[in-house]
Amino acid sequence: MQEAYEPASVEREAQAFWESRDSFRSTEDRAKPKFYCLSMFPYPSGKLHMGHVRNYTIGDVLTRYYRMRGYNVLQPMGWDAFGLPAENAAMANRVPPAEWTYDNIAYMKSQLQSLGFALDWSRELATCKPDYYRWNQWLFTRLFRKGLAYKRTGIVNWDPVDQTVLANEQVIEGRGWRTGALVEKREIPMYFLRITAHAEELLAALDDLPGWPEQVKLMQKNWIGRSEGVRIGFPYRLENEDRVLWVFTTRADTLMGATFMAVAAEHPIALHAARQDPELARFVDECRKGAVTEADLAQIEKKGMPTGLFVSHPLANEKIPVWVGNYVLMGYGEGAVMGVPAHDERDYEFALKYKLPIKPVIRHPLGDTVPAPWRPEYAEYGVCINSGKYNGLNYQQAVDAIAADLEAKGLGEKQVQWRLRDWGISRQRYWGTPIPIVHCAACGDVPVPDAELPVVLPEDVVPDGTGNPLAKRPQFYQTKCPQCSRPANRETDTMDTFVDSSWYFARFACPDQDRAMVDERAMYWMPVDQYIGGIEHAILHLLYSRFIQRVMRDESLMPGLSEPFTNLLTQGMVLAESYYTDASGRRDWINPADVVVQRDSKGRIASAKTKDGRDVIYDGIGTMSKSKNNGVDPQALIDKYGADTARFFIIFASPPTHTLEWSDEGVEGSFRFLRRLWKFAASSHAIPELSSKEARFEIHTVLKQANYDMQKQQFNTVASAAMKILNALEKSPSREGLSILLRLLSPVTPHITHHLWRELKFGEDIMKAPWPEPDAAALEQDEVELVVQVNGKLRGSIRVPKAADRAAIEELARANPNVQRFVAGQNVKKVVVVPGRLVNLVI
RNA sequence: GCCGGAAUGGCGGAACCGGUAGACGCAGCGGACUCAAAAUCCGCCGCCCGCGAGGGCAUGAGAGUUCGAGUCUCUCUUCCGGCACCA
């Protein structure tokens, strides 16, 4: 056996072995339980980043573990290949997005292969290929015919210079990223998927997902946002016509305290008033500029302006002024809210600012009045006051009575409201799935018939950042109406890339199927038993996938299967330190790989310099980003230490759900461990079968804990366990211990363990060996150590026979000299004995 | 702003059901080997007091429950993720 550990040759050899046997190809096998392990597929951005390596290493550890546990395992890989970055790269490099994407896929695939992941490459798919996205189109036409996909207007960011729609990411401080022009909101026709039709089910089913983290379920629950309230109508007269302004509120009990109405700038009533009032028109115009995101909207200064219009209070003989408010969202509820300043913080601020009346109608813990400043107690539930016939009623009684009275007048009813909005899928962009609709002057919006699918996206387009590239291509959009055969235009919008990623997991079961979206093989592999990906996908991607799974279920593609992911592991982000040099106020970001750190005698950072000796400033730890130049390239790491070291460090450094802080020294330590393992194995040809009794107890205790941690998916302590076992083996070597160690480690570092397993003649293929289990006999102990506390403070320890009873334990504890010092002359009130753990004397 | 997390030595982290805080590793310090260095091996390593035995303090801050709290409850601070067109 070779003396030195050379990862490159070991890894090349192991990968060749797997490839020659096609080790990772999966087929349906009903003799074994199946385990479908899926990591979120990557966007082919150019090269792998650390987040990818972490995600796929975690998935691979699980895959290889379940394989050794006897499961029929599937772990596939594909490419989330449509998206905005390809268009940005195209503009920068004058290369078509398709070419850029395919090049990236080829390179990243080679990187994944060099990491030794147990992937079934025969199932590889890319969402930008017509044989994939035709099924996006097929499903869309089904939904369109059912009314589950429909067209209405939606609000987008509009760059007036480039005449193009911008993604939220492309709006920097209210301006277009390329032009710097002030971004406007614009209403354009769009297609929506009616996810709200499934809101109730998507919410209720969360309770049946025990394999999902509570935090993710809670976030989804709040996102769907079911609230019970009352829809209330405020009548008014406009242009000699009786109309009603509708609002939704969860606080109908405060209706008698409503002193103004606020409507969104896009609300018809606002637009009408603006036609008469130039000042209001300016304000409405201002509201329509700037932010579209909820985060921005929530933080802007609340502003308003009166429309001059009044509505009638539905239950009192009062007129209420209607204002336009920049904080009211047209997309949520009715686009209008009632203002109850006395009991709502935002309304309170608004009323103070614009000197609107504040009328308390609820008795709150601080009393019957609401003096400034605002106190949270004002918003609490209480009995009605100043509310006429409703006085004295509590929250529920008041809501019931008011809802009944409104209903009698035809001006209201109880209603369930959802925060969840329908999913707008239209994108005015090129690199995505063409929406399969033909616009015919005579027939309207006609879905493309199945026989004419896919509507193929041309791959030779280079977008220039202005307008929608497909809308400039007559050869794409000019077509005939499928119904009447007259000349017609294709839809030139493409689909949100979230559509692509909302069903790819099912397609992996049957990527070669060209007659259906999925076939019966999906019913074998689905649902995904273990899904792994970043916490940043906790809401959108996972919710859309749960929705589309239900849509596929309802199309009889996977009958009865509602949830796509049984178990979910949300991995933390990968962070790194960042450094910069300060040259007269200009920050020059230095990659951590090029920084040399000096430490003081206590190990703290004393100073840091670049390799050529310039002082650098430490900027703390954060996500790896281009702007701070703190990305660590996994390829450099693999080239230097090999895949096993990279995998081991990433698993060892942090539990999978936590953020991982990158450390070059830590990587060095992981490499040292593998080299020690290699050296130990190389010198192990004539070692005993079993270790000493103490070492064996240690090894099996650690193994027992490691198996428990494996179940908990706390892989970092499994890696620690492997180190502990090697430490024990170095004191007392054994074939048994080495065999346990190699198998325990094989999911994390498959190459080196593959090589050593064969080298030491344990067998031909470690992947086919059974997972190690602790030996109950090795765990037996005659004596146990107990800790003795006095008043909860540690004062000594005693060794007692395993079978010792309470009285014997207590006597031994009192006999301990140090314990006696603290107990002497005092009255022991109580003795707590925790078997196998401790004794606590309370004095 | 709203929703969801996180916080433990110089650093990453461990501590299962509320029961010895700091496993394992990194960095650091001391030693062996070496002409020297690297590599490797051995020892030390939370803070304070003490020659020592030992004692006190300590899990972001403040309170509470308990014989006993990193772990449970409440309040607060800071950082991170998401907020519907980044993926």
Side-chain angles (χ1 to χ4, degrees):
Chain A
M1 181 169 165
Q2 239 182 335
E3 211 28 62
Y5 170 45
E6 281 168 14
S9 61
V10 169
E11 291 174 7
R12 214 179 306 118
E13 172 210 313
Q15 286 167 17
F17 178 93
W18 299 325
E19 200 178 343
S20 71
R21 299 184 184 220
D22 212 357
S23 296
F24 309 129
R25 182 186 291 266
S26 306
T27 53
E28 299 75 42
D29 173 359
R30 287 174 201 280
K32 289 183 189 171
K34 65 100 183 175
F35 187 78
Y36 180 6
C37 185
L38 183 66
S39 293
M40 290 179 185
F41 64 168
Y43 177 78
S45 53
K47 52 188 186 181
L48 291 185
H49 55 68
M50 279 299 169
H52 292 130
V53 178
R54 189 177 195 199
N55 197 162
Y56 305 137
T57 300
I58 293 167
D60 203 47
V61 167
L62 280 159
T63 295
R64 289 172 177 275
Y65 171 67
Y66 276 90
R67 184 184 288 276
M68 288 173 79
R69 283 279 191 199
Y71 287 79
N72 185 36
V73 172
L74 168 61
Q75 184 180 225
M77 183 53 72
W79 308 95
D80 188 12
F82 276 139
L84 196 55
E87 294 190 33
N88 296 342
M91 283 183 251
N93 310 322
R94 316 295 309 158
V95 178
E99 188 183 324
W100 181 84
T101 301
Y102 292 129
D103 285 351
N104 289 348
I105 287 175
Y107 181 67
M108 289 170 75
K109 183 175 179 178
S110 74
Q111 288 190 299
L112 287 173
Q113 287 171 324
S114 76
L115 279 156
F117 297 133
L119 293 163
D120 182 353
W121 282 106
S122 74
R123 294 168 188 266
E124 180 180 5
L125 59 79
T127 57
C128 63
K129 298 257 182 81
D131 63 359
Y132 184 84
Y133 66 69
R134 72 175 289 189
W135 301 110
N136 286 346
Q137 296 174 337
W138 178 86
L139 192 67
F140 177 86
T141 60
R142 289 296 169 290
L143 296 180
F144 189 79
R145 291 193 184 100
K146 280 185 167 177
L148 285 171
Y150 64 95
K151 186 156 96 174
R152 68 165 162 86
T153 61
I155 296 171
V156 294
N157 304 304
W158 180 256
D159 185 321
V161 173
D162 268 351
Q163 295 283 299
T164 195
V165 175
L166 298 177
N168 288 337
E169 188 189 56
Q170 298 172 315
V171 180
I172 315 291
E173 288 169 10
R175 292 172 183 275
W177 67 321
R178 298 174 77 233
T179 64
L182 271 179
V183 170
E184 297 166 12
K185 287 186 235 178
R186 187 170 266 217
E187 270 193 80
I188 57 168
M190 292 176 42
Y191 291 93
F192 287 80
L193 301 187
R194 211 178 290 279
I195 189 172
T196 52
H198 286 274
E200 189 90 60
E201 193 195 350
L202 287 167
L203 179 67
L206 288 171
D207 292 335
D208 301 322
L209 284 174
W212 281 41
E214 287 304 323
Q215 55 154 314
V216 173
K217 289 191 277 188
L218 194 54
M219 279 192 266
Q220 291 217 351
K221 188 180 169 204
N222 292 335
W223 183 265
I224 296 168
R226 184 182 198 276
S227 56
E228 290 180 10
V230 181
R231 185 171 182 251
I232 302 177
F234 292 75
Y236 64 101
R237 214 174 152 71
L238 191 66
E239 296 176 318
N240 294 320
E241 211 182 297
D242 286 320
R243 304 178 187 212
V244 177
L245 175 64
W246 290 99
V247 302
F248 173 84
T249 178
T250 56
R251 290 302 301 272
D253 60 321
T254 64
L255 175 57
M256 304 314 280
T259 59
F260 68 94
M261 309 297 292
V263 301
E266 296 87 356
H267 196 282
I269 212 172
L271 298 176
H272 180 274
R275 281 198 289 273
Q276 264 93 62
D277 179 348
E279 205 188 334
L280 184 65
R282 260 196 306 280
F283 180 68
V284 165
D285 210 45
E286 187 192 315
C287 291
R288 303 184 72 183
K289 290 235 167 63
V292 275
T293 71
E294 195 186 302
D296 288 338
L297 230 41
Q299 281 166 90
I300 52 172
E301 190 193 349
K302 310 290 178 284
K303 282 192 203 162
M305 190 171 273
T307 61
L309 297 171
F310 288 80
V311 294
S312 302
H313 193 290
L315 299 178
N317 188 22
E318 280 170 27
K319 291 284 177 199
I320 301 177
V322 179
W323 286 60
V324 176
N326 65 348
Y327 61 92
V328 184
L329 290 169
M330 197 57 215
Y332 182 56
E334 307 281 351
V337 294
M338 69 175 193
V340 184
H343 304 292
D344 179 273
E345 183 172 8
R346 192 176 56 188
D347 295 347
Y348 192 86
E349 304 298 344
F350 196 81
L352 285 185
K353 184 167 181 175
Y354 294 110
K355 310 218 161 31
L356 292 159
I358 299 175
K359 180 185 172 195
V361 290
I362 301 291
R363 174 163 298 142
H364 56 82
L366 302 179
D368 289 358
T369 57
V370 291
W374 170 263
R375 300 283 301 266
E377 287 84 356
Y378 299 168
E380 287 182 21
Y381 289 169
V383 299
C384 293
I385 53 173
N386 304 327
S387 299
K389 64 184 276 205
Y390 307 109
N391 282 342
L393 299 183
N394 68 23
Y395 170 78
Q396 196 58 55
Q397 292 164 336
V399 170
D400 291 346
I402 287 170
D405 289 348
L406 288 170
E407 195 156 2
K409 291 187 163 191
L411 288 176
E413 66 206 323
K414 285 198 181 172
Q415 198 185 49
V416 171
Q417 179 87 1
W418 302 92
R419 207 188 80 94
L420 181 67
R421 310 200 293 259
D422 276 341
W423 175 11
I425 59 156
S426 295
R427 297 291 180 270
Q428 298 68 42
R429 277 192 263 285
Y430 156 67
W431 192 233
T433 303
I435 293 178
I437 290 283
V438 173
H439 302 293
C440 170
C443 310
D445 284 5
V446 181
V448 176
D450 292 359
E452 291 174 31
L453 293 177
V455 176
V456 176
L457 185 73
E459 292 200 346
D460 57 349
V461 175
V462 181
D464 62 5
T466 67
N468 178 344
L470 291 178
K472 299 180 203 164
R473 278 218 163 198
Q475 63 271 45
F476 175 79
Y477 65 74
Q478 284 178 352
T479 185
K480 276 194 248 170
C481 173
Q483 266 173 34
C484 67
S485 297
R486 275 181 283 213
N489 286 339
R490 279 190 196 289
E491 173 62 55
T492 54
D493 281 0
T494 53
M495 289 185 201
D496 179 5
T497 56
F498 272 125
V499 176
D500 311 332
S501 55
S502 292
W503 68 281
Y504 76 109
F505 42 84
R507 184 69 182 175
F508 276 131
C510 46
D512 54 356
Q513 175 54 260
D514 63 357
R515 295 171 169 273
M517 191 170 181
V518 297
D519 62 29
E520 68 287 347
R521 286 172 288 173
M523 284 305 280
Y524 173 84
W525 288 112
M526 288 292 290
V528 173
D529 295 280
Q530 180 68 61
Y531 197 38
I532 304 134
I535 182 69
E536 66 274 19
H537 297 290
I539 296 176
L540 291 178
H541 164 61
L542 291 169
L543 190 62
Y544 290 145
S545 297
R546 296 180 63 224
F547 165 57
I548 294 293
Q549 178 64 37
R550 285 168 166 78
V551 167
M552 291 191 289
R553 174 197 66 191
D554 296 344
E555 288 297 323
S556 302
L557 293 164
M558 283 175 274
L561 190 59
S562 305
E563 289 293 340
F565 313 121
T566 306
N567 295 291
L568 175 68
L569 192 161
T570 50
Q571 65 161 357
M573 319 256 304
V574 181
L575 310 179
E577 294 172 328
S578 50
Y579 301 90
Y580 60 91
T581 57
D582 198 342
S584 56
R586 209 185 89 247
R587 285 183 178 191
D588 214 357
W589 295 94
I590 309 293
N591 193 279
D594 300 323
V595 172
V596 183
V597 170
Q598 276 95 38
R599 289 173 193 277
D600 64 16
S601 62
K602 294 209 163 186
R604 283 180 284 242
I605 296 178
S607 71
K609 288 188 190 311
T610 60
K611 283 183 176 160
D612 51 17
R614 286 175 296 152
D615 286 328
V616 297
I617 298 159
Y618 175 58
D619 189 58
I621 201 142
T623 53
M624 292 187 180
S625 70
K626 270 194 191 136
S627 62
K628 289 197 175 178
N629 186 23
N630 63 341
V632 179
D633 184 5
Q635 199 56 50
L637 182 70
I638 298 163
D639 293 345
K640 185 168 177 197
Y641 298 104
D644 280 341
T645 293
R647 295 169 57 123
F648 185 89
F649 173 70
I650 241 168
I651 289 297
F652 175 66
S654 193
T657 54
H658 290 199
T659 55
L660 185 154
E661 296 182 24
W662 192 257
S663 141
D664 283 331
E665 293 90 349
V667 176
E668 197 74 53
S670 297
F671 183 64
R672 235 173 355 237
F673 166 68
L674 294 183
R675 202 162 48 192
R676 249 175 77 212
L677 171 68
W678 181 274
K679 247 179 90 179
F680 175 79
S683 61
S684 292
H685 284 284
I687 58 174
E689 191 53 40
L690 296 181
S691 299
S692 68
K693 191 166 186 253
E694 299 76 44
R696 201 162 176 257
F697 173 76
E698 165 81 7
I699 289 165
H700 284 265
T701 305
V702 170
L703 173 61
K704 188 180 171 193
Q705 180 65 43
N707 279 346
Y708 179 77
D709 292 346
M710 204 74 195
Q711 286 301 321
K712 276 200 309 184
Q713 302 182 334
Q714 188 173 299
F715 307 122
N716 56 322
T717 49
V718 176
S720 299
M723 290 175 152
K724 288 179 192 174
I725 291 176
L726 183 59
N727 290 345
L729 280 175
E730 282 178 338
K731 283 182 218 120
S732 174
S734 69
R735 292 272 300 171
E736 183 203 45
L738 190 51
S739 157
I740 288 172
L741 174 58
L742 292 177
R743 282 178 289 158
L744 183 67
L745 212 42
S746 68
V748 183
T749 56
H751 308 89
I752 186 173
T753 51
H754 168 88
H755 180 95
L756 295 176
W757 189 256
R758 289 165 66 84
E759 188 74 36
L760 290 157
K761 308 265 185 293
F762 283 115
E764 194 203 25
D765 184 356
I766 193 167
M767 285 198 302
K768 302 215 162 108
W771 187 256
E773 293 290 352
D775 175 7
L779 296 171
E780 284 294 324
Q781 257 192 320
D782 308 330
E783 276 195 326
V784 288
E785 185 168 298
L786 293 187
V787 160
V788 185
Q789 297 179 334
V790 178
N791 277 358
K793 286 199 181 287
L794 176 65
R795 297 301 179 195
S797 70
I798 51 174
R799 290 195 70 84
V800 300
K802 206 180 151 211
D805 62 12
R806 253 189 95 98
I809 289 171
E810 194 179 323
E811 195 181 328
L812 271 166
R814 283 171 185 266
N816 180 291
N818 200 44
V819 171
Q820 280 185 342
R821 289 201 314 143
F822 287 88
V823 177
Q826 311 244 28
N827 184 26
V828 176
K829 285 195 298 197
K830 188 172 168 187
V831 180
V832 181
V833 177
V834 183
R837 290 259 178 209
L838 57 72
V839 185
N840 188 13
L841 306 174
V842 185
I843 58 176

